[in-house]
Structures are given as C-alpha cells and as structure tokens.
C-alpha cells in the first residue's frame, strides 16, 4: 500500500516539474527528493509555482528547485545502491546547495500492518520501523554527502495528519493494535497511534545528531496550534488528537496538507508548513 494511492488523481496534477527561477548570482540550487509530500509541496501548483517556491519568494529568496520526488516511493527503494532512485539523487545532489528529503511514510504503510499481524505490539513494530529507517535513511543521506560535501541536507517527520472525514480508517490500518486488544485499554487509541508515527521524526533527529551536514526540523503540532488547540505548540503536538480536518482533508487523501485558505491569515495548511520550514531552516541556512 502506497502513501499516495488514495490520491492518485491529485498527484498526477501536483507532480509537475517545479518552477525554476531565472538564474542569478545569489540563487541556490535546491533538490527535493522522496515521496508525494515532495511533489505536493514542491512540485508546482495551479499558479505555476510550488508552495516551497512561493514561501521562498515571499522572503526574497532566489532559488532554483529541481524536484525528483516520486509519489509512493519508499526509503527502502531510495537507499538501494543498485537502484535508479539513489543514482538520480546522487547525480542531482552533486550540484546542489540544499537537498530536502521526504520519506518513510510509505515504508510505514508497507511494513506496519504486516508487523501487527505477527502479534507484535505497536511499540515493538515502531521499534522495527525506527531501526530500519535509521539504517536506510542513513544510507541515503550519507550517499548525498559523499557526492557533495558542501550540500546541506534537511528533513522532517510528517505533521499530525488523518483528521479528515473517514481518515481514521487509514490510521487504524497503520497501527491496528492501537484500536483493538489490550493496547486500546492501556491508553487512548489516538495517543498510541501518534506515539509510533512520531518515531519518524525521531529518525531525523537521530541522524542529525551524528551528521553536521544534516538538519532535522520539527513542524509537529503546527496545524493543531493553527486550529486553536491550546495543548499544541509547534514542535510539541497534542498526542491525544489527530491533525484538524481542514488541514488534512479527505480530498487530499488524509495525508497531504489542505490547499484551501484557513483562519485569519488566510493560509492553507500547505502554505503554513512551507512558511514554518522557512522560519526553521531557510531563514538561516539560506540567509535570506
């Protein structure tokens, strides 16, 4: 099961090549690699410019974005030393200033339901995913660094999602232990689920702790806070709730940020995420 299967039609539109700004002296090349989050947020839009590029332009950051993300792909596929994905990434990274990687969601969707069927607990399956992803993602980021010692790599875990109508079904399929059996009575199903999904943020944090070329940013809780949840802060999500319905709607397959304006700022969830990414990463790494 792929992380983007439920929104295949949308992804056909959103996976267009990213807009490349006119080459000027101060621009920096950004390579975006990974799964459908990369295509949705950095692969173009109805306005002909991606949410990533729009945020950069809003802060006067000239840039050249090369998007090689492929919807539905896994870290297992991108880490294969004999595969086309890694060779394409290494080639692109050789001339890049920044490499943004979005991966692991599809690995979770592929591995966790089958792990649950073996009788392992949610935490045991989460440990299995974490260990595998530290290994696979480590191989990917190290290959980028080997190709270009000057390139900066950035990554982040997926935000608190699945709040749209009917989206809980996907969450329950990912970690069914949290909704049935003994674990359901140990803690709330949503907290159980969120605790394991957040392990993907932990992978980025672990990798960044041993690699000075890698930055792990944390956007968790952003859309919850924007929804008025007083228990959520950016970087400190409310584990007892999923992401708000307007931010992770069913029309985006429950796992991609909404594109309709919300709140006083009149920003979509996609725009909010890219604005916060600017705050946490581009404003310093790009110095613009």
């Amino acid at each position: 099961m792929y992380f983007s299967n439920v929104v295949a039609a949308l992804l056909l539109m959103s996976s267009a090549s990213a807009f490349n700004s006119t080459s000027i002296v101060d621009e920096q090349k950004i390579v975006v690699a990974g799964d459908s989050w990369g295509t949705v947020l950095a692969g173009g839009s109805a306005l002909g410019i991606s949410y990533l590029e729009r945020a950069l332009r809003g802060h006067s950051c000239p840039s050249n974005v090369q998007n090689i993300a492929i919807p539905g792909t896994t870290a297992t596929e991108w880490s294969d030393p004999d595969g086309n994905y890694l060779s394409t990434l290494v080639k692109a990274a050789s001339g890049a200033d920044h490499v943004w990687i979005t991966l692991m969601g599809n690995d979770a969707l592929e591995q966790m339901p089958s792990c649950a069927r073996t009788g392992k607990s949610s935490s045991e399956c989460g440990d299995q995913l974490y260990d595998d992803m530290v290994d696979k993602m480590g191989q990917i980021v190290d290959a980028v660094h080997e190709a270009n010692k000057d390139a900066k790599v950035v990554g982040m875990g997926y935000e608190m999602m699945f709040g749209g109508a009917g989206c809980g079904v996907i969450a329950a399929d990912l970690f069914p232990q949290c909704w049935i059996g003994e674990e359901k009575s140990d803690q709330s199903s949503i907290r159980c689920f969120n605790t394991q999904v957040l392990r993907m943020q932990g992978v980025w944090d672990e990798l960044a702790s041993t690699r000075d070329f890698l930055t792990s940013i944390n956007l968790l809780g952003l859309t919850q806070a924007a929804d008025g949840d007083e228990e959520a802060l950016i970087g400190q999500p409310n584990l007892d709730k999923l992401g708000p319905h307007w931010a992770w709607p069913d029309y985006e397959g429950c796992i991609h940020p909404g594109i309709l304006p919300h709140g006083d700022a009149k920003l979509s969830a996609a725009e909010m995420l890219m604005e916060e990414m600017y705050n946490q990463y581009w404003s310093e790494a790009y110095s613009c």
Side-chain angles (χ1 to χ4, degrees), residues 219-263:
L219 308 186
L220 301 173
L222 170 65
T223 56
Q224 289 179 332
D227 195 51
D229 187 342
E230 296 181 354
E231 299 298 318
L233 297 172
I234 298 174
Q236 299 179 35
N238 183 346
L239 295 183
D240 291 315
K241 290 184 179 180
L242 299 172
H245 65 88
W246 57 266
W248 309 99
D250 52 1
Y251 71 78
E252 286 284 4
C254 308
I255 44 77
H256 299 121
I259 59 175
L260 299 179
H262 178 81

Side-chain angles (χ1 to χ4, degrees), residues 181-219:
E182 295 180 1
E183 289 191 61
K184 181 178 179 180
S185 61
D186 291 340
Q187 56 185 322
S188 76
S189 296
I190 292 177
R191 174 172 282 267
C192 169
F193 171 78
N194 282 336
T195 297
Q196 299 312 319
V197 171
L198 265 59
R199 302 291 293 278
M200 288 181 276
Q201 177 70 48
V203 170
W204 282 114
D205 294 343
E206 172 68 20
L207 295 176
S209 71
T210 57
R211 295 163 172 83
D212 59 8
F213 62 88
L214 174 60
T215 299
S216 173
I217 63 175
N218 190 333
L219 308 186

Side-chain angles (χ1 to χ4, degrees), residues 16-280:
S17 297
F19 175 88
N20 289 334
S21 57
T22 303
S23 178
I24 57 177
V25 175
D26 294 330
E27 76 178 12
Q28 296 187 33
K29 182 179 179 181
I30 300 168
V31 170
V32 181
D35 57 26
S36 57
W37 262 49
T39 57
V40 169
L41 291 170
S45 72
L47 298 180
I49 180 172
S50 71
Y51 294 107
L52 167 61
E53 199 95 5
R54 198 178 306 173
L56 291 172
R57 282 192 169 194
H59 293 279
S60 301
C61 302
S63 64
N64 178 358
V65 177
Q66 180 184 2
N67 193 327
I68 59 172
I70 306 294
T73 54
T74 65
T76 302
E77 292 171 320
W78 282 86
S79 64
D80 182 356
D82 298 318
N84 291 331
Y85 293 128
L86 188 60
S87 62
T88 299
L89 174 57
V90 166
K91 182 178 180 180
S94 64
D97 296 288
H98 306 273
V99 179
W100 173 25
I101 302 173
T102 67
L103 281 170
M104 294 187 276
N106 292 313
D107 298 89
L109 279 177
E110 286 190 354
Q111 297 181 28
M112 294 300 93
S114 58
C115 180
R117 289 192 290 272
T118 68
K120 291 183 179 180
S121 67
S122 62
S123 60
E124 289 173 327
C125 288
D127 288 344
Q128 175 183 304
L129 179 67
Y130 180 85
D131 291 341
D132 187 40
M133 292 298 97
V134 167
D135 176 47
K136 301 289 173 54
M137 295 299 295
Q139 293 177 44
I140 295 168
V141 300
D142 287 344
V144 169
H145 187 58
E146 181 65 25
N148 183 352
K149 295 294 193 296
D150 294 324
K152 298 177 181 179
V153 181
V154 59
M156 58 189 176
Y158 303 96
E159 230 285 78
M160 314 302 290
M161 303 181 288
F162 302 107
C167 295
V169 174
I170 302 176
D173 182 65
L174 186 56
F175 281 101
Q177 309 97 311
C178 294
W179 275 268
I180 59 176
E182 295 180 1
E183 289 191 61
K184 181 178 179 180
S185 61
D186 291 340
Q187 56 185 322
S188 76
S189 296
I190 292 177
R191 174 172 282 267
C192 169
F193 171 78
N194 282 336
T195 297
Q196 299 312 319
V197 171
L198 265 59
R199 302 291 293 278
M200 288 181 276
Q201 177 70 48
V203 170
W204 282 114
D205 294 343
E206 172 68 20
L207 295 176
S209 71
T210 57
R211 295 163 172 83
D212 59 8
F213 62 88
L214 174 60
T215 299
S216 173
I217 63 175
N218 190 333
L219 308 186
L220 301 173
L222 170 65
T223 56
Q224 289 179 332
D227 195 51
D229 187 342
E230 296 181 354
E231 299 298 318
L233 297 172
I234 298 174
Q236 299 179 35
N238 183 346
L239 295 183
D240 291 315
K241 290 184 179 180
L242 299 172
H245 65 88
W246 57 266
W248 309 99
D250 52 1
Y251 71 78
E252 286 284 4
C254 308
I255 44 77
H256 299 121
I259 59 175
L260 299 179
H262 178 81
D264 295 337
K266 302 300 182 184
L267 295 176
S268 67
E271 290 169 316
M272 291 178 187
L273 288 169
M274 290 299 89
E275 183 66 19
E276 183 58 27
M277 186 180 189
Y278 169 82
N279 292 338
Q280 292 191 28

